[in-house]
CSV table of all heavy atoms in Angstrom, one decimal:
chain,number,residue,atom,x,y,z
J,1230,LEU,N,-19.2,13.9,-19.6
J,1230,LEU,CA,-18.6,12.9,-20.5
J,1230,LEU,C,-18.0,13.5,-21.7
J,1230,LEU,O,-17.0,13.1,-22.2
J,1230,LEU,CB,-19.6,11.8,-20.8
J,1230,LEU,CG,-20.0,10.9,-19.7
J,1230,LEU,CD1,-20.9,9.8,-20.3
J,1230,LEU,CD2,-18.9,10.2,-19.0
J,1231,GLY,N,-18.8,14.4,-22.3
J,1231,GLY,CA,-18.3,15.1,-23.5
J,1231,GLY,C,-18.7,14.2,-24.7
J,1231,GLY,O,-19.6,13.3,-24.7
J,1232,TYR,N,-17.9,14.3,-25.8
J,1232,TYR,CA,-18.2,13.6,-27.0
J,1232,TYR,C,-16.8,13.4,-27.7
J,1232,TYR,O,-15.8,14.0,-27.4
J,1232,TYR,CB,-19.1,14.3,-27.9
J,1232,TYR,CG,-18.7,15.7,-28.2
J,1232,TYR,CD1,-17.8,16.1,-29.2
J,1232,TYR,CD2,-19.2,16.8,-27.4
J,1232,TYR,CE1,-17.4,17.4,-29.4
J,1232,TYR,CE2,-18.8,18.1,-27.6
J,1232,TYR,CZ,-17.9,18.4,-28.6
J,1232,TYR,OH,-17.5,19.7,-28.8
J,1233,ALA,N,-16.8,12.4,-28.7
J,1233,ALA,CA,-15.6,12.2,-29.5
J,1233,ALA,C,-16.1,12.0,-31.0
J,1233,ALA,O,-16.7,11.0,-31.3
J,1233,ALA,CB,-14.9,10.9,-29.1
J,1234,THR,N,-15.9,13.0,-31.8
J,1234,THR,CA,-16.3,12.9,-33.3
J,1234,THR,C,-15.2,13.4,-34.2
J,1234,THR,O,-14.3,14.2,-33.8
J,1234,THR,CB,-17.5,13.9,-33.5
J,1234,THR,OG1,-17.1,15.3,-33.4
J,1234,THR,CG2,-18.6,13.6,-32.5
J,1235,VAL,N,-15.3,12.9,-35.4
J,1235,VAL,CA,-14.3,13.4,-36.4
J,1235,VAL,C,-14.6,14.8,-36.8
J,1235,VAL,O,-13.7,15.6,-36.9
J,1235,VAL,CB,-14.4,12.5,-37.7
J,1235,VAL,CG1,-13.5,13.0,-38.8
J,1235,VAL,CG2,-13.9,11.1,-37.3
J,1236,LYS,N,-15.9,15.2,-36.9
J,1236,LYS,CA,-16.2,16.5,-37.4
J,1236,LYS,C,-16.0,17.6,-36.4
J,1236,LYS,O,-15.4,18.7,-36.8
J,1236,LYS,CB,-17.7,16.5,-37.7
J,1236,LYS,CG,-18.2,17.8,-38.4
J,1236,LYS,CD,-19.6,17.6,-38.9
J,1236,LYS,CE,-20.1,18.9,-39.7
J,1236,LYS,NZ,-21.5,18.7,-40.2
J,1237,TYR,N,-16.2,17.4,-35.1
J,1237,TYR,CA,-16.2,18.4,-34.1
J,1237,TYR,C,-15.1,18.1,-33.0
J,1237,TYR,O,-15.0,18.8,-32.0
J,1237,TYR,CB,-17.5,18.7,-33.4
J,1237,TYR,CG,-18.6,19.2,-34.4
J,1237,TYR,CD1,-19.7,18.3,-34.7
J,1237,TYR,CD2,-18.4,20.4,-35.0
J,1237,TYR,CE1,-20.6,18.8,-35.6
J,1237,TYR,CE2,-19.4,20.8,-35.9
J,1237,TYR,CZ,-20.5,20.0,-36.2
J,1237,TYR,OH,-21.5,20.5,-37.1
J,1238,GLY,N,-14.3,17.2,-33.3
J,1238,GLY,CA,-13.2,16.8,-32.3
J,1238,GLY,C,-13.8,16.2,-31.1
J,1238,GLY,O,-14.7,15.4,-31.2
J,1239,SER,N,-13.3,16.6,-29.9
J,1239,SER,CA,-13.8,15.9,-28.7
J,1239,SER,C,-13.9,16.9,-27.6
J,1239,SER,O,-13.3,18.1,-27.6
J,1239,SER,CB,-12.8,14.8,-28.2
J,1239,SER,OG,-11.5,15.3,-28.1
J,1240,ALA,N,-14.6,16.6,-26.5
J,1240,ALA,CA,-14.8,17.5,-25.3
J,1240,ALA,C,-15.0,16.6,-24.1
J,1240,ALA,O,-15.2,15.4,-24.2
J,1240,ALA,CB,-16.0,18.4,-25.6
J,1241,GLY,N,-15.0,17.3,-22.9
J,1241,GLY,CA,-15.2,16.6,-21.7
J,1241,GLY,C,-14.2,15.5,-21.4
J,1241,GLY,O,-13.1,15.5,-21.8
J,1242,LEU,N,-14.7,14.5,-20.7
J,1242,LEU,CA,-13.9,13.4,-20.3
J,1242,LEU,C,-13.3,12.6,-21.5
J,1242,LEU,O,-12.2,12.1,-21.5
J,1242,LEU,CB,-14.7,12.4,-19.4
J,1242,LEU,CG,-13.9,11.5,-18.4
J,1242,LEU,CD1,-13.1,12.3,-17.4
J,1242,LEU,CD2,-14.9,10.6,-17.7
J,1243,GLU,N,-14.1,12.6,-22.6
J,1243,GLU,CA,-13.7,11.9,-23.8
J,1243,GLU,C,-12.4,12.6,-24.4
J,1243,GLU,O,-11.6,11.9,-25.0
J,1243,GLU,CB,-14.8,11.9,-24.9
J,1243,GLU,CG,-16.0,11.1,-24.5
J,1243,GLU,CD,-15.8,9.7,-24.9
J,1243,GLU,OE1,-14.7,9.1,-24.8
J,1243,GLU,OE2,-16.8,9.0,-25.3
J,1244,ALA,N,-12.3,13.9,-24.1
J,1244,ALA,CA,-11.1,14.6,-24.6
J,1244,ALA,C,-9.9,14.5,-23.6
J,1244,ALA,O,-8.8,14.1,-24.0
J,1244,ALA,CB,-11.4,16.1,-24.8
J,1245,THR,N,-10.2,14.8,-22.3
J,1245,THR,CA,-9.1,14.8,-21.4
J,1245,THR,C,-8.5,13.4,-21.1
J,1245,THR,O,-7.3,13.3,-20.7
J,1245,THR,CB,-9.5,15.5,-20.1
J,1245,THR,OG1,-10.6,14.7,-19.5
J,1245,THR,CG2,-9.9,16.9,-20.3
J,1246,GLU,N,-9.3,12.4,-21.3
J,1246,GLU,CA,-8.8,11.0,-21.0
J,1246,GLU,C,-8.7,10.2,-22.3
J,1246,GLU,O,-8.7,9.0,-22.3
J,1246,GLU,CB,-9.8,10.3,-20.1
J,1246,GLU,CG,-9.9,11.0,-18.7
J,1246,GLU,CD,-8.5,11.0,-18.0
J,1246,GLU,OE1,-7.8,10.0,-18.1
J,1246,GLU,OE2,-8.2,11.9,-17.3
J,1247,ALA,N,-8.6,10.9,-23.5
J,1247,ALA,CA,-8.4,10.2,-24.7
J,1247,ALA,C,-7.2,9.3,-24.7
J,1247,ALA,O,-7.3,8.1,-25.2
J,1247,ALA,CB,-8.4,11.2,-25.9
J,1248,GLU,N,-6.1,9.7,-24.1
J,1248,GLU,CA,-4.9,9.0,-24.1
J,1248,GLU,C,-5.1,7.6,-23.3
J,1248,GLU,O,-4.6,6.6,-23.8
J,1248,GLU,CB,-3.8,9.8,-23.5
J,1248,GLU,CG,-2.4,9.2,-23.4
J,1248,GLU,CD,-1.5,10.1,-22.6
J,1248,GLU,OE1,-1.8,11.2,-22.2
J,1248,GLU,OE2,-0.4,9.6,-22.4
J,1249,THR,N,-5.8,7.7,-22.2
J,1249,THR,CA,-6.1,6.5,-21.4
J,1249,THR,C,-7.1,5.6,-22.1
J,1249,THR,O,-6.8,4.4,-22.2
J,1249,THR,CB,-6.6,6.9,-20.1
J,1249,THR,OG1,-5.7,7.7,-19.4
J,1249,THR,CG2,-7.0,5.7,-19.2
J,1250,LEU,N,-8.1,6.2,-22.7
J,1250,LEU,CA,-9.2,5.4,-23.3
J,1250,LEU,C,-8.6,4.7,-24.6
J,1250,LEU,O,-9.1,3.6,-24.9
J,1250,LEU,CB,-10.3,6.3,-23.7
J,1250,LEU,CG,-11.2,6.8,-22.6
J,1250,LEU,CD1,-12.1,8.0,-23.0
J,1250,LEU,CD2,-12.0,5.7,-22.0
J,1251,LEU,N,-7.6,5.3,-25.2
J,1251,LEU,CA,-7.0,4.6,-26.4
J,1251,LEU,C,-5.8,3.8,-26.0
J,1251,LEU,O,-5.1,3.2,-26.9
J,1251,LEU,CB,-6.6,5.7,-27.4
J,1251,LEU,CG,-7.7,6.5,-28.0
J,1251,LEU,CD1,-7.2,7.7,-28.8
J,1251,LEU,CD2,-8.5,5.6,-28.9
J,1252,GLY,N,-5.5,3.6,-24.7
J,1252,GLY,CA,-4.4,2.8,-24.4
J,1252,GLY,C,-3.1,3.3,-24.7
J,1252,GLY,O,-2.1,2.6,-24.9
J,1253,MET,N,-2.9,4.6,-24.8
J,1253,MET,CA,-1.7,5.3,-25.2
J,1253,MET,C,-0.8,5.8,-24.0
J,1253,MET,O,0.3,6.2,-24.2
J,1253,MET,CB,-2.0,6.5,-26.1
J,1253,MET,CG,-2.8,6.2,-27.3
J,1253,MET,SD,-1.9,5.2,-28.6
J,1253,MET,CE,-0.7,6.5,-29.2
J,1254,LYS,N,-1.4,5.6,-22.8
J,1254,LYS,CA,-0.7,6.2,-21.7
J,1254,LYS,C,0.2,5.1,-21.0
J,1254,LYS,O,-0.3,4.2,-20.3
J,1254,LYS,CB,-1.7,6.7,-20.7
J,1254,LYS,CG,-1.2,7.6,-19.6
J,1254,LYS,CD,-2.3,8.3,-18.9
J,1254,LYS,CE,-1.8,9.4,-17.9
J,1254,LYS,NZ,-2.9,10.1,-17.2
J,1255,ASN,N,1.5,5.2,-21.3
J,1255,ASN,CA,2.4,4.3,-20.7
J,1255,ASN,C,3.8,4.9,-20.6
J,1255,ASN,O,4.2,5.5,-21.6
J,1255,ASN,CB,2.5,3.0,-21.5
J,1255,ASN,CG,3.2,1.8,-20.8
J,1255,ASN,OD1,4.4,2.0,-20.5
J,1255,ASN,ND2,2.5,0.8,-20.5
J,1256,PRO,N,4.5,4.9,-19.5
J,1256,PRO,CA,5.7,5.6,-19.4
J,1256,PRO,C,6.9,4.9,-20.2
J,1256,PRO,O,7.9,5.6,-20.4
J,1256,PRO,CB,6.1,5.5,-17.9
J,1256,PRO,CG,5.3,4.4,-17.4
J,1256,PRO,CD,4.1,4.3,-18.2
J,1257,SER,N,6.7,3.7,-20.6
J,1257,SER,CA,7.8,3.0,-21.3
J,1257,SER,C,7.9,3.5,-22.7
J,1257,SER,O,6.9,3.5,-23.5
J,1257,SER,CB,7.5,1.5,-21.3
J,1257,SER,OG,8.3,0.9,-22.3
J,1258,ILE,N,9.1,4.0,-23.1
J,1258,ILE,CA,9.4,4.4,-24.5
J,1258,ILE,C,9.1,3.3,-25.5
J,1258,ILE,O,8.5,3.5,-26.6
J,1258,ILE,CB,10.8,4.9,-24.7
J,1258,ILE,CG1,11.0,6.2,-23.9
J,1258,ILE,CG2,11.1,5.2,-26.1
J,1258,ILE,CD1,10.2,7.4,-24.3
J,1259,LEU,N,9.5,2.1,-25.1
J,1259,LEU,CA,9.3,0.9,-26.0
J,1259,LEU,C,7.8,0.7,-26.2
J,1259,LEU,O,7.3,0.5,-27.4
J,1259,LEU,CB,9.9,-0.3,-25.4
J,1259,LEU,CG,9.7,-1.6,-26.2
J,1259,LEU,CD1,10.2,-1.5,-27.6
J,1259,LEU,CD2,10.2,-2.8,-25.4
J,1260,ARG,N,7.0,0.8,-25.1
J,1260,ARG,CA,5.6,0.6,-25.3
J,1260,ARG,C,5.0,1.8,-26.1
J,1260,ARG,O,4.1,1.5,-26.9
J,1260,ARG,CB,4.9,0.6,-23.9
J,1260,ARG,CG,3.4,0.4,-23.8
J,1260,ARG,CD,3.0,-0.8,-24.6
J,1260,ARG,NE,1.6,-1.0,-24.6
J,1260,ARG,CZ,0.9,-1.8,-25.5
J,1260,ARG,NH1,1.6,-2.4,-26.4
J,1260,ARG,NH2,-0.4,-1.9,-25.4
J,1261,ARG,N,5.5,3.0,-25.9
J,1261,ARG,CA,5.0,4.1,-26.7
J,1261,ARG,C,5.2,3.9,-28.2
J,1261,ARG,O,4.4,4.2,-29.1
J,1261,ARG,CB,5.6,5.4,-26.3
J,1261,ARG,CG,5.1,5.8,-24.9
J,1261,ARG,CD,5.7,7.1,-24.4
J,1261,ARG,NE,5.3,7.5,-23.1
J,1261,ARG,CZ,4.8,8.7,-22.7
J,1261,ARG,NH1,4.8,9.6,-23.6
J,1261,ARG,NH2,4.4,8.9,-21.5
J,1262,ILE,N,6.4,3.3,-28.5
J,1262,ILE,CA,6.7,3.0,-29.9
J,1262,ILE,C,5.7,2.0,-30.4
J,1262,ILE,O,5.2,2.0,-31.5
J,1262,ILE,CB,8.2,2.6,-30.1
J,1262,ILE,CG1,9.1,3.7,-29.8
J,1262,ILE,CG2,8.4,2.1,-31.5
J,1262,ILE,CD1,10.6,3.3,-29.7
J,1263,GLN,N,5.5,0.9,-29.6
J,1263,GLN,CA,4.5,-0.1,-30.0
J,1263,GLN,C,3.1,0.5,-30.2
J,1263,GLN,O,2.4,0.1,-31.2
J,1263,GLN,CB,4.5,-1.2,-28.9
J,1263,GLN,CG,5.8,-2.0,-28.8
J,1263,GLN,CD,5.8,-2.9,-27.7
J,1263,GLN,OE1,5.1,-2.7,-26.7
J,1263,GLN,NE2,6.6,-4.0,-27.7
J,1264,ASN,N,2.8,1.4,-29.3
J,1264,ASN,CA,1.4,2.1,-29.4
J,1264,ASN,C,1.3,2.8,-30.7
J,1264,ASN,O,0.3,2.8,-31.4
J,1264,ASN,CB,1.2,3.0,-28.3
J,1264,ASN,CG,0.8,2.3,-27.0
J,1264,ASN,OD1,0.4,1.2,-27.0
J,1264,ASN,ND2,1.1,3.0,-25.9
J,1265,ALA,N,2.4,3.5,-31.1
J,1265,ALA,CA,2.4,4.3,-32.3
J,1265,ALA,C,2.3,3.5,-33.6
J,1265,ALA,O,1.7,4.0,-34.6
J,1265,ALA,CB,3.6,5.1,-32.4
J,1266,PHE,N,2.7,2.3,-33.6
J,1266,PHE,CA,2.8,1.5,-34.8
J,1266,PHE,C,2.0,0.2,-34.9
J,1266,PHE,O,1.9,-0.4,-36.0
J,1266,PHE,CB,4.3,1.2,-35.2
J,1266,PHE,CG,5.1,2.5,-35.4
J,1266,PHE,CD1,5.9,3.0,-34.5
J,1266,PHE,CD2,5.0,3.1,-36.6
J,1266,PHE,CE1,6.6,4.1,-34.7
J,1266,PHE,CE2,5.7,4.3,-36.9
J,1266,PHE,CZ,6.5,4.8,-35.9
J,1267,GLU,N,1.6,-0.3,-33.8
J,1267,GLU,CA,0.9,-1.6,-33.8
J,1267,GLU,C,-0.5,-1.4,-34.5
J,1267,GLU,O,-1.0,-0.4,-34.6
J,1267,GLU,CB,0.8,-2.2,-32.4
J,1267,GLU,CG,-0.2,-1.4,-31.5
J,1267,GLU,CD,-0.2,-2.2,-30.1
J,1267,GLU,OE1,-0.2,-3.4,-30.1
J,1267,GLU,OE2,-0.3,-1.4,-29.1
J,1268,LEU,N,-1.1,-2.6,-34.8
J,1268,LEU,CA,-2.4,-2.6,-35.6
J,1268,LEU,C,-3.5,-2.7,-34.6
J,1268,LEU,O,-3.5,-2.1,-33.6
J,1268,LEU,CB,-2.3,-3.7,-36.6
J,1268,LEU,CG,-1.2,-3.7,-37.6
J,1268,LEU,CD1,-1.2,-5.0,-38.5
J,1268,LEU,CD2,-1.3,-2.5,-38.4
J,1269,GLN,N,-4.6,-3.3,-35.1
J,1269,GLN,CA,-5.9,-3.3,-34.3
J,1269,GLN,C,-5.7,-3.8,-32.9
J,1269,GLN,O,-5.0,-4.7,-32.6
J,1269,GLN,CB,-6.9,-4.2,-35.0
J,1269,GLN,CG,-7.2,-3.8,-36.4
J,1269,GLN,CD,-8.1,-2.6,-36.5
J,1269,GLN,OE1,-8.9,-2.4,-35.6
J,1269,GLN,NE2,-8.1,-1.9,-37.6
J,1270,ARG,N,-6.3,-3.0,-32.0
J,1270,ARG,CA,-6.3,-3.3,-30.5
J,1270,ARG,C,-7.4,-2.5,-29.8
J,1270,ARG,O,-8.0,-1.7,-30.4
J,1270,ARG,CB,-4.9,-3.1,-29.9
J,1270,ARG,CG,-4.5,-1.6,-29.9
J,1270,ARG,CD,-3.1,-1.5,-29.4
J,1270,ARG,NE,-2.6,-0.2,-29.4
J,1270,ARG,CZ,-2.9,0.8,-28.5
J,1270,ARG,NH1,-3.7,0.4,-27.5
J,1270,ARG,NH2,-2.4,2.0,-28.6
J,1271,THR,N,-7.5,-2.8,-28.5
J,1271,THR,CA,-8.6,-2.2,-27.7
J,1271,THR,C,-7.9,-1.3,-26.6
J,1271,THR,O,-6.9,-1.8,-26.0
J,1271,THR,CB,-9.5,-3.2,-27.1
J,1271,THR,OG1,-10.1,-3.9,-28.1
J,1271,THR,CG2,-10.6,-2.5,-26.2
J,1272,GLY,N,-8.4,-0.2,-26.3
J,1272,GLY,CA,-7.9,0.7,-25.3
J,1272,GLY,C,-8.3,0.3,-23.9
J,1272,GLY,O,-8.7,-0.9,-23.6
J,1273,ASN,N,-8.2,1.3,-23.0
J,1273,ASN,CA,-8.5,1.0,-21.6
J,1273,ASN,C,-9.9,1.5,-21.2
J,1273,ASN,O,-10.5,2.4,-21.7
J,1273,ASN,CB,-7.5,1.7,-20.7
J,1273,ASN,CG,-6.1,1.2,-21.0
J,1273,ASN,OD1,-5.8,0.0,-21.2
J,1273,ASN,ND2,-5.2,2.2,-20.9
J,1274,ASP,N,-10.5,0.8,-20.1
J,1274,ASP,CA,-11.8,1.2,-19.6
J,1274,ASP,C,-11.6,2.2,-18.4
J,1274,ASP,O,-10.7,1.9,-17.6
J,1274,ASP,CB,-12.6,0.0,-19.2
J,1274,ASP,CG,-13.0,-0.9,-20.3
J,1274,ASP,OD1,-13.1,-0.4,-21.4
J,1274,ASP,OD2,-13.2,-2.1,-20.1
J,1275,LEU,N,-12.4,3.2,-18.3
J,1275,LEU,CA,-12.4,4.0,-17.2
J,1275,LEU,C,-13.6,3.7,-16.2
J,1275,LEU,O,-14.8,3.5,-16.7
J,1275,LEU,CB,-12.7,5.5,-17.6
J,1275,LEU,CG,-11.5,6.2,-18.4
J,1275,LEU,CD1,-12.0,7.6,-18.6
J,1275,LEU,CD2,-10.3,6.2,-17.6
J,1276,ILE,N,-13.3,3.4,-15.0
J,1276,ILE,CA,-14.3,3.2,-14.0
J,1276,ILE,C,-14.4,4.5,-13.2
J,1276,ILE,O,-13.4,4.9,-12.5
J,1276,ILE,CB,-14.0,2.0,-13.1
J,1276,ILE,CG1,-13.6,0.8,-13.9
J,1276,ILE,CG2,-15.2,1.7,-12.1
J,1276,ILE,CD1,-14.6,0.3,-14.9
J,1277,LEU,N,-15.6,5.2,-13.2
J,1277,LEU,CA,-15.7,6.4,-12.5
J,1277,LEU,C,-16.2,6.2,-11.1
J,1277,LEU,O,-16.8,5.2,-10.7
J,1277,LEU,CB,-16.7,7.3,-13.3
J,1277,LEU,CG,-16.3,7.6,-14.8
J,1277,LEU,CD1,-17.3,8.6,-15.3
J,1277,LEU,CD2,-14.9,8.1,-14.9
J,1278,THR,N,-16.1,7.3,-10.3
J,1278,THR,CA,-16.6,7.3,-8.9
J,1278,THR,C,-18.1,7.6,-8.9
J,1278,THR,O,-18.8,7.4,-7.9
J,1278,THR,CB,-15.9,8.3,-8.0
J,1278,THR,OG1,-16.0,9.6,-8.6
J,1278,THR,CG2,-14.4,8.0,-7.9
J,1279,LEU,N,-18.7,8.0,-10.0
J,1279,LEU,CA,-20.1,8.4,-10.1
J,1279,LEU,C,-21.0,7.2,-9.8
J,1279,LEU,O,-20.7,6.1,-10.2
J,1279,LEU,CB,-20.4,9.0,-11.4
J,1279,LEU,CG,-19.7,10.2,-11.8
J,1279,LEU,CD1,-20.0,10.6,-13.3
J,1279,LEU,CD2,-20.1,11.4,-10.9
J,1280,ASP,N,-22.1,7.5,-9.2
J,1280,ASP,CA,-23.2,6.5,-9.0
J,1280,ASP,C,-24.4,6.9,-9.8
J,1280,ASP,O,-25.0,8.0,-9.6
J,1280,ASP,CB,-23.6,6.4,-7.5
J,1280,ASP,CG,-24.5,5.3,-7.2
J,1280,ASP,OD1,-25.4,5.0,-8.0
J,1280,ASP,OD2,-24.3,4.6,-6.2
J,1281,SER,N,-24.7,6.1,-10.8
J,1281,SER,CA,-25.8,6.4,-11.8
J,1281,SER,C,-27.1,6.7,-11.1
J,1281,SER,O,-27.9,7.5,-11.6
J,1281,SER,CB,-26.0,5.3,-12.8
J,1281,SER,OG,-24.9,5.2,-13.6
J,1282,ARG,N,-27.3,6.0,-10.0
J,1282,ARG,CA,-28.6,6.2,-9.3
J,1282,ARG,C,-28.7,7.6,-8.6
J,1282,ARG,O,-29.8,8.2,-8.7
J,1282,ARG,CB,-28.8,5.1,-8.2
J,1282,ARG,CG,-28.7,3.7,-8.8
J,1282,ARG,CD,-28.5,2.6,-7.7
J,1282,ARG,NE,-27.2,2.7,-7.1
J,1282,ARG,CZ,-26.7,1.9,-6.2
J,1282,ARG,NH1,-27.5,0.9,-5.8
J,1282,ARG,NH2,-25.5,2.1,-5.7
J,1283,LEU,N,-27.6,8.1,-8.1
J,1283,LEU,CA,-27.6,9.4,-7.5
J,1283,LEU,C,-27.6,10.4,-8.7
J,1283,LEU,O,-28.3,11.5,-8.6
J,1283,LEU,CB,-26.3,9.6,-6.7
J,1283,LEU,CG,-26.3,9.1,-5.2
J,1283,LEU,CD1,-25.0,9.5,-4.6
J,1283,LEU,CD2,-27.5,9.7,-4.5
J,1284,GLN,N,-26.9,10.1,-9.7
J,1284,GLN,CA,-26.8,11.0,-10.9
J,1284,GLN,C,-28.3,11.2,-11.5
J,1284,GLN,O,-28.7,12.3,-11.8
J,1284,GLN,CB,-25.9,10.5,-12.0
J,1284,GLN,CG,-25.7,11.3,-13.2
J,1284,GLN,CD,-24.6,12.4,-13.0
J,1284,GLN,OE1,-24.0,12.5,-11.9
J,1284,GLN,NE2,-24.4,13.2,-14.0
J,1285,GLU,N,-29.0,10.1,-11.6
J,1285,GLU,CA,-30.4,10.2,-12.1
J,1285,GLU,C,-31.2,11.1,-11.2
J,1285,GLU,O,-32.0,11.8,-11.7
J,1285,GLU,CB,-30.9,8.8,-12.3
J,1285,GLU,CG,-32.3,8.8,-12.9
J,1285,GLU,CD,-32.9,7.5,-13.2
J,1285,GLU,OE1,-32.3,6.5,-12.7
J,1285,GLU,OE2,-33.9,7.4,-13.9
Side-chain angles (χ1 to χ4, degrees):
L1230 291 183
Y1232 53 83
T1234 69
V1235 173
K1236 188 173 183 180
Y1237 297 113
S1239 56
L1242 205 61
E1243 292 277 36
T1245 58
E1246 295 301 323
E1248 184 185 352
T1249 298
L1250 289 164
L1251 293 171
M1253 303 290 289
K1254 197 170 187 177
N1255 192 298
S1257 164
I1258 293 296
L1259 176 61
R1260 179 56 180 160
R1261 290 179 182 229
I1262 293 173
Q1263 292 173 337
N1264 281 339
F1266 295 103
E1267 69 180 323
L1268 301 177
Q1269 298 288 332
R1270 62 184 179 82
T1271 302
N1273 301 320
D1274 293 336
L1275 292 182
I1276 313 301
L1277 305 186
T1278 59
L1279 298 174
D1280 189 317
S1281 292
R1282 298 165 297 181
L1283 280 182
Q1284 184 82 3
E1285 182 177 11

